[in-house]
Each structure stands twice: as C-alpha cells, then as structure tokens.
Amino acid sequence: YFEPVTLEDVLNIIEIEKPYGIIVQFGGQTPLKLALPLLNWLNTDEGIKSGSKILGTSPISIDIAEDRENFTKILNELNIRQPLNGLARNQSEAIEVSKRIGFPLVVRPSYVLGGRAMEIVQCENDLLRYINEAVKVSPDHPILLDQYLSNSIEIDVDALCDKEGVVVIAGLMEHVEPAGIHSGDSACCLPSVSLTDKTLETVRSWTKSIAQELNVVGLINLQFAVKKSQQGELKVYILEANPRASRTIPFVSKAIGKPIAKIATELMNGKLLKDLNFTKEIKPTIQAVKEAVLPFKKFPGSDTLLGPEMRSTGEVMGLAKDFGIAYAKSELAAGNGVPSEGVAFLSTNDLDKEYLFEIANDLTNLGFKLIATEGTSNYLTNLGIS
C-alpha cells in the first residue's frame, strides 16, 4: 500500500486485510501517535468484528511515556534523575519556568517530530523571540522547557523486553557529539569507549526499571546524558524513553550479529527471550561506529552547524579493531574523508572556549596550521598557540 500513515488510511487497510495483529513499533513517531485512536477503534463493534489487536506494548503505556507529566511521575517514583523541566502554555509561564530552571534551556513544542522547531536558548531575550517567532504557544500546544546539560556525553540504549518482564539490552551506544545534537545527526560507537563502569551500571539498571514499569513488550529506546558536576562527580540523567524501535536498530543488529527487529516481532507475538536464546547483552568484540550522512556538500550555503533539529539524510557504519580506525572508516563512507594536512579553521562562542585549547594543541601537534575568528584567535594566542 502506498498511502499516508493516517488513521483513516490505516483503518481502510485493516478492513480489507483483516490482520491478526497490528505492530506500531517500527515506524518511528508517526504510528505511536495512532496507537490510542487505533485502540479506541478496535474496542468499537466494527473493530471487534475485524478480529485484530495491537501487538506488543499497550497503547496506554505508549501514551504514558509520551506524556511529559505522567512520565515525570514515574521517574520520580523510580528515583531516576532527569534534567529539570517544565511546561508552559503562555509567555508568563515560560518566564516563570526559566527562572526556576536557569539558562541555557532546550525548548520545543510538545508535539515535536524529528527535532523540528527545537532550539537551545541562552537567555530570556532568546526565549521570548522563540515564543513569539518560532512557535505559537497555546493551551492546546504548550512548549516544553528542559535544563540543557551542556558538554555532557549522550548515550543511546536499545533494549528488548518480553511479556514476563525480562529485559535484555541489545545495544548501549556512546555518542561522539555532545548531548543536544539530534541523535539522527550524531555519530555513535558500540561498545562505548570512555564511559565508566559505574555509569554503565546505572544506565543498565535504569533501562530495566523503566521498561518493566511501562510493561514494554518488544523494543524500547532510551537516551541518557552523563555530565560532570562541579564537584567532579559523574551524574547520569535520563533524557527520554520511546517504547518503539529507533533508527539505531539496523546498526545494532549488524554490530552484534542478531536480527533485533525479527526478535522483537517474535516477542510481540508472545514468545519469551529465553525461547529465542537471547538472554544477555552481547558485547561486540570489535568497534562499530555509526556516522550520519549530512547533505552540506550537496547544498552549498546551507548552515553546517548541528543542533537539536535533524539534518541528516542517511547513515553509514565503520568496523575495526579500535575506535580511531572505525571512526575514520565511517567518515570516509559518509563522504567526508579524513584530512591529514592543511589548515584548520576554529571558531567557538565564549561558552565553549575553555574546551578549545586541547583541540587546537592536538591539531598543531598533527602538523595542521590554524586560522580562527578574532575572539577565538586572541584566546588561543594568549595560551601560546600560534
């Protein structure tokens, strides 16, 4: 069928095909939005006659994970840390929430898809501009405001769950870019290369608690961030949980050598993880790196800065014994190449300048010449870098 994924079209197909089951976990965010309306229809006389049912995680659980206020309640009960956040239905509420949380903030409409209209705002003026120009805030369409965890490491987890509440992690990936870059635009590696054992244990135990609390059957994708506190302690935060397959499933399947989507479908059909001989997390023996393909070369003049709004048009994978070679292979596959000589151009805003010395120093040691914008140049010159 070549039809848009809307309730009307899906119901027409169900009426013709009379399927035994309907799976909503494999189409990203779009079918998740249809899960509750589909469930309501399946409970009508016509729906009962069709003999169909939604397989896997219940639409009610999907709705809880999607609903910010309900999900926050669950996290509080499970004692799981999340960034400070709030909802605003008008401008004065937004200012109130921003005073409680503090800047910088990640702001987005509550009905966002693919990171569209998401922004990181640094001050009250930016927030007011966002509210007045970027989105129309209303009681029906509130905006979400989250504390922005600057310079933190993002982690992506894909996990499988069966009807008895057994949870097995399929892939635990570390992002190369910092949190705040859309996960579709980030490179990530499996297994992780810099996370501590304590961090990994926290992520694993929180993944299991959330998947069990939401009664997930099939797949769930969770995103976490790890940030150093001022005392130097590493703190883990959960960013979001989506009871569905994510874009990383094909990558994880190739990296661990197991057909994750197929296993998830069997689980939705009532099988158990032990029946499918998938009872513990598989750690790949070689390093796998997923890199996004970004279309900047094809569109001269497009803004090459990455942010919370997704720009990638595909992805590639590099495999090797160690991270450096795997990452280089993924860059070559994405069409970027890895320069080994020449001039590197540096420019950052004042908030990020302190992280630049190490990068500039490494580039100089590799034999690159450096040029920079005025402020960045003055900052690096004062530190003795030419």
Side-chain angles (χ1 to χ4, degrees):
Y1 290 91
F2 192 71
E3 296 292 344
V5 185
T6 63
L7 186 63
E8 188 181 357
D9 291 289
V10 172
L11 291 181
N12 287 341
I13 294 168
I14 292 171
E15 281 164 17
I16 297 167
E17 295 290 346
K18 302 195 170 31
Y20 149 73
I22 301 157
I23 294 176
V24 294
Q25 288 183 25
F26 291 136
Q29 217 55 29
T30 313
L32 288 194
K33 296 266 181 269
L34 295 184
L36 268 186
L38 269 174
L39 182 69
N40 295 337
W41 180 83
L42 290 168
N43 289 331
T44 63
D45 292 345
E46 215 176 330
I48 291 163
K49 250 189 273 173
S50 76
S52 297
K53 59 180 180 190
I54 291 176
L55 301 179
T57 311
S58 139
I60 291 151
S61 294
I62 292 173
D63 189 54
I64 290 170
E66 294 276 298
D67 183 297
R68 174 56 66 99
E69 286 162 294
N70 282 335
F71 187 56
T72 298
K73 268 186 214 146
I74 284 181
L75 294 178
N76 292 339
E77 280 163 25
L78 295 172
N79 204 13
I80 289 176
R81 191 184 301 109
Q82 66 171 332
L84 298 172
N85 60 69
L87 260 174
R89 292 179 175 83
N90 54 47
Q91 185 171 308
S92 60
E93 276 182 22
I95 291 168
E96 209 173 293
V97 172
S98 72
K99 286 193 171 131
R100 175 170 63 80
I101 298 174
F103 291 96
L105 288 169
V106 179
V107 286
R108 59 186 147 167
S110 54
Y111 48 90
V112 68
L113 276 181
R116 287 227 311 275
M118 268 175 83
E119 241 181 77
I120 295 161
V121 297
Q122 304 286 355
C123 60
E124 195 169 294
N125 285 346
D126 280 356
L127 179 63
L128 296 177
R129 177 194 50 72
Y130 177 82
I131 288 170
N132 296 321
E133 289 173 27
V135 294
K136 296 284 169 271
V137 187
S138 70
D140 300 337
H141 291 303
I143 57 164
L144 305 173
L145 299 96
D146 289 89
Q147 170 190 11
Y148 174 54
L149 304 169
S150 47
N151 294 299
S152 56
I153 295 171
E154 191 164 336
I155 301 166
D156 234 297
V157 179
D158 287 316
L160 288 158
C161 325
D162 67 22
K163 63 181 182 187
E164 289 187 351
V166 178
V167 181
V168 175
I169 288 174
L172 194 161
M173 295 149 274
E174 177 181 350
H175 284 215
V176 173
E177 285 79 6
I181 303 295
H182 192 286
S183 59
D185 285 354
S186 304
C188 69
C189 61
L190 176 68
S192 82
V193 286
S194 77
L195 301 170
T196 63
D197 290 343
K198 190 181 170 196
T199 297
L200 294 172
E201 276 322 301
T202 304
V203 167
R204 288 186 178 109
S205 91
W206 286 4
T207 295
K208 286 179 181 165
S209 305
I210 291 168
Q212 287 164 342
E213 186 66 29
L214 290 172
N215 296 315
V216 170
V217 178
L219 275 160
I220 183 168
N221 170 257
L222 305 100
Q223 285 164 3
F224 300 90
V226 188
K227 185 171 168 65
K228 246 194 189 134
S229 67
Q230 277 155 340
Q231 294 73 40
E233 179 200 357
L234 289 172
K235 284 190 166 175
V236 181
Y237 296 80
I238 179 153
L239 302 177
E240 59 181 312
N242 290 303
R244 58 167 170 83
S246 76
R247 80 185 79 253
T248 44
I249 292 297
F251 166 69
V252 171
S253 299
K254 291 186 176 82
I256 67 170
K258 287 274 190 184
I260 304 301
K262 189 175 182 178
I263 292 169
T265 307
E266 299 270 27
L267 298 176
M268 290 180 229
N269 224 351
K271 289 231 173 105
L272 302 176
L273 281 159
K274 61 173 189 246
D275 303 336
L276 301 168
N277 198 18
F278 195 97
T279 51
K280 62 176 198 284
E281 185 181 342
I282 297 171
K283 297 184 186 140
T285 50
I286 58 171
Q287 186 68 55
V289 172
K290 180 208 85 161
E291 177 58 296
V293 176
L294 295 151
F296 305 138
K297 279 185 188 167
K298 301 271 191 298
F299 299 110
S302 61
D303 187 354
T304 55
L305 286 178
L306 297 180
E309 194 164 318
M310 183 172 146
R311 296 169 183 274
S312 104
T313 51
E315 46 196 37
V316 293
M317 178 172 177
L319 294 168
K321 284 232 162 46
D322 61 51
F323 172 77
I325 301 289
Y327 186 67
K329 283 168 97 172
S330 73
E331 288 303 320
L332 287 166
N336 301 327
V338 183
S340 54
E341 58 181 9
V343 179
F345 165 63
L346 305 174
S347 177
T348 86
N349 64 35
D350 292 344
L351 297 168
D352 294 327
K353 286 215 187 346
E354 61 183 288
Y355 303 100
L356 201 57
F357 175 77
E358 196 183 338
I359 295 169
N361 205 29
D362 284 351
L363 286 168
T364 309
N365 292 340
L366 288 168
F368 286 86
K369 290 190 167 59
L370 304 182
I371 56 170
T373 42
E374 192 177 3
T376 303
S377 167
N378 292 341
Y379 178 81
L380 291 171
T381 307
N382 289 338
L383 293 174
I385 287 179
S386 61

